Amino acid sequence: MRPDLVLILPDLEPLRHVETPYGAAPVGELDGLAVLVRSEGVEGRALIWAAKEMGARRVLAGEAVQPVSPLLEEGDLVLPADLIDLTKLRPFTFFVGKGYGFIKLNPPFCPDLMTALLAEARKTRPRSFRGATYVGTEGPREATPAELRMYRQWGGDVVGSGLVPEAYLARELELHYAALTVAGEATAPLHQALLAAARRPDLGSLAPCGCTETMRFMKEQGVIGEDWKEW
């Protein structure tokens, strides 16, 4: 197991729970790797807090999504590079009322992890694509035909409900976060690619990105300290 990395996936049987200020986060296991289980009623804040609490520096998230682009086929693996957030009811920050959690989200996904994910995804399924725009909705229902036409006009490629607000929250706690999605319901290739990426020996020594410095300005100004639990 890699203590510096966790996966976030839906529909796994939890083996234990990590208590957080935002509720219990269910934890399962997939082929020896720790998995935080995304399920109805579990807050995104609980999942990301639990990842940090468990010692993770990197988070690989997976989700089965509905294709928006007509070029996508069932089973295609898609790496989001950008997102459109249509959620309204989900807590999107750890810093409610504190005024310093509005951090840069360009890019919203870790570019280093995306590179590793793409390499392993293409080994699993040649039809793997990077650079997609993810449309995040409240879910869990599928988009209507009219909504899909609208998302397509906006430049969306896939639509789902799992990656938002996880991407924002991971950035606030200075975690590297990247996601891999699969068009349709067949999650086997998704899991294979995520596991392969998680086991890459160079995953911990990829070229440094800015994910771990998102709160540096606030630290330098003395607004917050080094203990992330007190931010």
Side-chain angles (χ1 to χ4, degrees):
M1 298 181 69
R2 295 189 62 152
D4 67 328
L5 180 143
V6 299
L7 307 180
I8 298 182
L9 292 169
D11 303 327
L12 287 180
E13 187 68 30
L15 302 175
R16 61 187 178 93
H17 290 78
V18 174
E19 295 298 327
T20 81
Y22 311 100
V27 183
E29 186 177 303
L30 184 65
D31 203 16
L33 286 171
V35 180
L36 286 160
V37 183
R38 186 192 300 119
S39 58
E40 189 174 355
V42 177
E43 257 203 51
R45 291 186 297 183
L47 294 175
I48 299 301
W49 179 282
K52 188 84 171 181
E53 176 77 12
M54 292 163 64
R57 293 186 299 120
R58 293 171 172 80
V59 177
L60 299 179
E63 183 186 7
V65 293
Q66 187 178 2
V68 174
S69 169
L71 301 178
L72 291 175
E73 299 177 0
E74 182 85 10
D76 285 353
L77 296 178
V78 181
L79 283 82
D82 207 345
L83 59 83
I84 298 170
D85 183 5
L86 297 180
T87 63
K88 297 181 177 65
L89 304 176
R90 303 180 184 189
F92 61 89
T93 180
F94 288 109
F95 308 124
V96 177
K98 294 185 177 181
Y100 56 79
F102 300 99
I103 56 178
K104 184 178 179 181
L105 291 170
N106 183 20
F109 300 97
C110 174
D112 293 340
L113 286 187
M114 286 171 59
T115 298
L117 269 177
L118 180 64
E120 300 306 326
R122 285 183 171 166
K123 293 176 186 177
T124 302
R125 181 169 171 79
R127 286 186 57 86
S128 298
F129 305 100
R130 178 178 178 171
T133 296
Y134 174 93
V135 181
T137 65
E138 294 289 352
R141 70 167 176 83
E142 289 192 348
T144 66
E147 288 170 333
L148 289 175
R149 289 195 298 271
M150 179 175 65
Y151 301 156
R152 198 172 298 131
Q153 290 177 348
W154 290 353
D157 296 294
V158 296
V159 57
S161 60
L163 306 185
V164 179
E166 287 178 6
Y168 307 156
L169 298 170
R171 183 61 60 89
E172 287 187 345
L173 295 190
E174 300 186 322
L175 296 172
H176 301 265
Y177 179 96
L180 182 64
T181 68
V182 62
E185 299 296 327
T187 57
L190 173 71
H191 291 176
Q192 291 169 9
L194 286 170
L195 289 170
R199 291 198 168 93
R200 280 179 60 134
D202 64 343
L203 194 66
S205 58
L206 297 170
C209 64
C211 297
T212 59
E213 297 186 341
T214 52
M215 301 300 286
R216 182 178 64 179
F217 178 77
M218 290 299 166
K219 293 176 186 177
E220 291 175 346
Q221 296 300 308
V223 178
I224 59 175
E226 292 298 325
D227 187 353
W228 61 276
K229 292 183 178 180
E230 296 180 0
W231 291 352

